[in-house]
Amino acid sequence: MIDSVQIRRHGAVDFHSHYESLCAIQDSVPVPAIRTSYGHRTLCFNADRVKVSDWPPILNSLKINKNLKSISIKSCHQPGLSDSGAEKLGIYFKRRVPPIHSKDMTFQLCASIAGCLSVSNSLSSLELHGLPLRKRDLKILAKGLAASKSLESVSLPHCSCGDEGLEIICQSIKNSETIKIVDFTGCSLTWRGAEYIANVIKHQATRRHSETWAESLRYRRPDLDCMTGLRRVTLNCNTFVGDRGANSLAEILAEDLWLKALDMRQCGISNEGAESFLKALQTNTTLLVLDMRQNPLIDYSLLKTLTERVLMNAHGSNSEYKWFKSPSSKDGSKVRQKCRSTNVRHGWKGRNTLRIGISTKKHLISTTTLKELYDPEPKPPGVKGFLPWRTAERANRRREKSPDWSPSSPSQTGTGVHILVNSDTSESEEADSSLDVSDLAAVESLRKSDTKKLKRLQVELNDCQLRLHEERKTRLKADERITELEMENNRLRQINQSLFDALQTRTISSSLLEDEDVLESIEKSFKKFHAFLDLLRDAG
C-alpha cells in the first residue's frame, strides 16, 4: 500500500504528512524535533535527539521529496569534550554517542539526501553541520550534488572531511551551473584543500571566459553577474591552510572576475599570505569580501590596508554577500548579567546577593543626561577639580534626598535602576561602591557606536581621497594629451598650408606652359595653311 503511485506522489510534495503516515505504519510516534522544525518548506533539526528507530521514516520521506527548499541537519556532539568535571576526580563515564555518528547511519542519510537532490527542482540550500562524513558518504553525496538542478548553497561545517573528501566534493561542483556558495568551515583542510578550491575557480573561470566572448559578439556587453559558478567560498577555522594555500588562492584571484567573497578566518596565514592577496587586489576589482581576521600572524596595519582595499571595490554599494559578524561584546555582557546574582564573598547563590535590573515601566535617559551622570574621561588625582568617585556618589545620593532636589533627576525622568542587597550585615563600604551600571553600559555603548561610525567615516574618507588622487592624475594626463594633440594639429596645419601653396604654384606654371604649347601649335597650323595656299597659286 505504501509503495503505491498516488501515495508516493502525494508524499513527494508534502513531507510532513508523508512522514506522519510512515510513522503510523511503523507504529511509532513522530519525533517532536521534526514536527516543530518543519515549516515554510524548510527542514531543520538536531540529529543528536533522533533515535535509531526514528530514522527510517525520516530518510524515506526525505528521499522522494520534491517540495523542500532548505535542509539543515546539525549535530552538536563533541566526543573529545566531557560534560562534567567528574574526570578530574578520576571518575570516567562512557558517553552515549548519538546514532547519527555511526557510519551506517551517515551513509543512509547521504544516500537519502542524494536521492532528494536528484529528483527535486526546488531545493536550494543544504547544510550538514558537525556530521562525521566519511569517504563513501561523500562519494554518494557528490553524485547528488552533480545531479542537482536547483542547489545554490552547500554547507559542510565541522564535518572533518579532510583534503580527500574536499577533492571528491570539488569534482562534483566544478561543473555545476547552480551552486554559488560553499562552506567548509573547520573541515581539517590543509594547503592541498586550498589548491583544490583554486583549481575549481580556475576551471570555472576558463568556461566563463568563453561565455563572455560569445556574449560580447555584435557589440554586446556581457553580464558577468548572471553567469554560473561560485560566488562565495568559506574556509574558516582551517589552521593548516597557511601561506601556501593563501598564495594558491591569491594567484587565481588576480585574474578572476566572478568570485565575490572569500572567508579565511583562523587559517594560520601570516604577512606573506596577506601580501600575496594585497598584490592580487591590484588587478582584481570584483572581490567584495576578503575576511582574514583572527589570524594573529598578520600585522594589524597590513590587515587594515587589505580590508580597506577590498572595501574600495564595493564603492559603497550594498551587496548580497555580507561580511560575517564577529562575536560581539554583547554576548559577554549577557553572561556577566547572569553571574551578577552570585555571592560577593563565596561565589554561590545565597542570601547575600546583588540584583541589578532596569525598570521596564519607565523610559530611558536622554544622551545629555547620561553625559552629565558619567564623565568618560575623569580627571586624574592631583589635578584641580579631581573628585573621588565614592565621594561623588555619596554627594549625589544626599542631593536626591534633599527637599531642594529638582524633579529633572534621573530617577524621575528616565530609568529606575533598583539595587537590592539582601544580607545579614549591611556594610556602608559596599553601599558606597554601588554604581549606576545601566548608565555606564549605555555610555559605553554610545562610545562604541561613535567609534564604529568614526572608523567607517575614516575608511570612506580614505576611499574618497584615493579616488580624488586618481582623478587628478587622470585629469593631468588628459591635459597633457590635449596639449600634445593641439601641437600635432598645428604642425599638420602648417604642413597642409605648405603643400597647398606648392600645389598652387605648380598649377600656375603648368598652365603657362600649356598656353605656350597651344600658341606654337596654332602658329604651325597657320604656316602649313599658307604653304598650301602657295601651292595652289603655283598650280594656277
Side-chain angles (χ1 to χ4, degrees):
M1 294 293 291
I2 194 63
D3 293 331
S4 63
V5 178
Q6 293 182 356
I7 294 178
R8 287 180 64 87
R9 286 181 179 177
H10 182 69
V13 296
D14 192 352
F15 176 85
H16 187 62
S17 62
H18 189 61
Y19 169 67
E20 288 185 346
S21 63
L22 291 179
C23 290
I25 292 174
Q26 187 179 312
D27 196 13
S28 62
V29 180
V31 181
I34 302 295
R35 298 178 64 181
T36 56
S37 65
Y38 180 75
H40 304 288
R41 300 169 65 183
T42 301
L43 180 64
C44 177
F45 65 95
N46 189 353
D48 296 339
R49 302 177 181 178
V50 183
K51 300 178 182 179
V52 179
S53 58
D54 295 331
W55 273 108
I58 299 174
L59 299 179
N60 293 328
S61 301
L62 190 61
K63 187 185 298 183
I64 63 172
N65 187 268
K66 299 180 181 179
N67 191 37
L68 290 175
K69 285 186 176 181
S70 175
I71 297 176
S72 177
I73 302 176
K74 302 179 181 180
S75 175
C76 302
H77 178 73
Q78 298 180 1
L81 299 178
S82 59
D83 295 333
S84 63
E87 294 182 0
K88 297 180 181 179
L89 302 176
I91 304 173
Y92 296 92
F93 298 97
K94 186 177 180 180
R95 299 185 61 197
R96 186 181 67 86
V97 179
I100 190 60
H101 282 254
S102 64
K103 57 183 180 180
D104 294 333
M105 192 57 66
T106 54
F107 180 75
Q108 294 178 18
L109 177 62
C110 291
S112 299
I113 293 175
C116 181
L117 288 172
S118 59
V119 300
S120 176
N121 292 327
S122 59
L123 185 61
S124 60
S125 177
L126 174 64
E127 180 183 6
L128 302 177
H129 187 285
L131 301 181
L133 300 182
R134 298 160 183 87
K135 193 172 182 179
R136 67 167 188 168
D137 305 336
L138 294 172
K139 284 182 179 180
I140 193 170
L141 182 63
K143 294 180 181 180
L145 294 177
S148 177
K149 299 179 181 179
S150 60
L151 190 64
E152 297 181 358
S153 175
V154 179
S155 182
L156 304 175
H158 305 286
C159 286
S160 62
C161 57
D163 295 333
E164 296 181 356
L166 180 63
E167 185 180 8
I168 297 172
I169 298 297
C170 288
Q171 292 295 330
S172 63
I173 67 175
K174 71 177 183 180
N175 295 320
S176 175
E177 297 181 355
T178 57
I179 296 177
K180 297 181 180 180
I181 302 173
V182 291
D183 185 2
F184 299 105
T185 301
C187 289
S188 304
L189 304 180
T190 64
W191 57 270
R192 292 185 182 274
E195 287 185 352
Y196 295 147
I197 295 292
N199 292 334
V200 172
I201 298 173
K202 185 178 180 180
H203 174 79
Q204 293 185 349
T206 305
R207 187 180 61 188
R208 288 164 175 168
H209 278 299
S210 61
E211 294 179 4
T212 305
W213 176 81
E215 291 187 3
S216 62
L217 297 176
R218 295 184 179 180
Y219 304 102
R220 292 181 298 177
R221 188 173 182 178
D223 191 357
L224 303 181
D225 294 334
C226 293
M227 295 183 180
T228 60
L230 293 179
R231 290 293 189 272
R232 182 168 203 142
V233 178
T234 303
L235 301 174
N236 295 333
C237 302
N238 293 291
T239 55
F240 293 104
V241 172
D243 293 331
R244 188 170 179 179
N247 292 333
S248 301
L249 290 170
E251 184 179 357
I252 299 300
L253 289 178
E255 301 177 356
D256 188 74
L257 301 174
W258 291 272
L259 192 68
K260 300 296 183 182
L262 177 62
D263 305 298
M264 299 189 70
R265 291 189 189 180
Q266 297 182 14
C267 288
I269 302 174
S270 65
N271 292 333
E272 180 183 353
E275 289 175 357
S276 63
F277 277 113
L278 189 61
K279 185 178 179 181
L281 288 173
Q282 294 178 359
T283 56
N284 188 313
T285 58
T286 57
L287 190 66
L288 305 179
V289 176
L290 180 58
D291 194 352
M292 300 186 67
R293 291 172 290 180
Q294 299 179 8
N295 286 295
L297 299 178
I298 301 178
D299 293 339
Y300 176 76
S301 58
L302 181 58
L303 182 61
K304 183 179 179 181
T305 305
L306 188 63
T307 306
E308 291 177 354
R309 184 65 186 84
V310 174
L311 291 176
M312 286 176 60
N313 291 343
H315 301 292
S317 60
N318 292 325
S319 174
E320 59 177 326
Y321 304 101
K322 306 294 184 182
W323 289 73
F324 291 139
K325 295 182 179 180
S326 299
S328 60
S329 60
K330 294 181 180 180
D331 301 333
S333 62
K334 292 180 181 179
V335 176
R336 291 190 213 102
Q337 288 179 1
K338 291 181 181 179
C339 299
R340 278 174 182 167
S341 61
T342 57
N343 193 318
V344 179
R345 298 179 181 176
H346 305 289
W348 296 94
K349 292 184 178 180
R351 298 182 63 187
N352 189 7
T353 58
L354 179 64
R355 299 178 183 177
I356 300 177
I358 300 177
S359 176
T360 57
K361 297 182 180 180
K362 299 183 180 180
H363 302 286
L364 295 176
I365 311 175
S366 61
T367 308
T368 56
T369 310
L370 288 174
K371 291 182 178 179
E372 292 174 1
L373 290 174
Y374 174 68
D375 188 6
E377 296 181 358
K379 296 181 180 180
V383 180
K384 184 178 180 181
F386 168 72
L387 187 65
W389 62 271
R390 294 175 186 268
T391 307
E393 288 297 324
R394 194 179 296 110
N396 289 334
R397 198 174 294 110
R398 290 177 180 175
R399 191 181 300 113
E400 292 174 2
K401 294 180 180 179
S402 63
D404 298 334
W405 179 60
S406 62
S408 61
S409 59
S411 62
Q412 296 183 6
T413 59
T415 61
V417 179
H418 306 287
I419 302 177
L420 304 177
V421 181
N422 300 326
S423 61
D424 295 336
T425 59
S426 60
E427 301 176 357
S428 61
E429 187 68 18
E430 293 179 358
D432 292 338
S433 63
S434 60
L435 286 175
D436 199 341
V437 181
S438 62
D439 297 343
L440 298 180
V443 174
E444 191 67 23
S445 63
L446 289 174
R447 184 191 297 177
K448 289 182 180 179
S449 62
D450 292 339
T451 53
K452 288 182 180 178
K453 291 180 181 179
L454 179 61
K455 289 181 180 179
R456 187 174 70 253
L457 292 175
Q458 287 178 352
V459 172
E460 293 178 356
L461 177 61
N462 294 332
D463 187 10
C464 294
Q465 288 178 351
L466 290 174
R467 291 182 186 175
L468 179 61
H469 186 62
E470 293 177 357
E471 184 69 21
R472 287 177 179 175
K473 283 185 178 180
T474 53
R475 287 194 177 186
L476 289 175
K477 290 180 180 179
D479 294 338
E480 293 177 356
R481 184 61 179 167
I482 289 172
T483 54
E484 291 177 359
L485 293 175
E486 288 179 353
M487 293 174 64
E488 185 70 18
N489 192 15
N490 293 331
R491 188 176 64 82
L492 292 175
R493 283 181 180 176
Q494 292 177 1
I495 293 173
N496 190 15
Q497 186 66 27
S498 62
L499 291 174
F500 180 75
D501 295 340
L503 182 61
Q504 189 173 6
T505 54
R506 184 177 179 181
T507 53
I508 293 172
S509 61
S510 63
S511 63
L512 293 174
L513 291 174
E514 288 176 357
D515 293 341
E516 290 177 358
D517 294 337
V518 170
L519 291 174
E520 287 179 358
S521 64
I522 292 172
E523 188 176 359
K524 287 180 181 180
S525 63
F526 270 106
K527 285 181 180 180
K528 289 180 180 180
F529 182 71
H530 284 294
F532 177 71
L533 290 177
D534 291 339
L535 289 174
L536 289 177
R537 190 182 303 115
D538 292 340

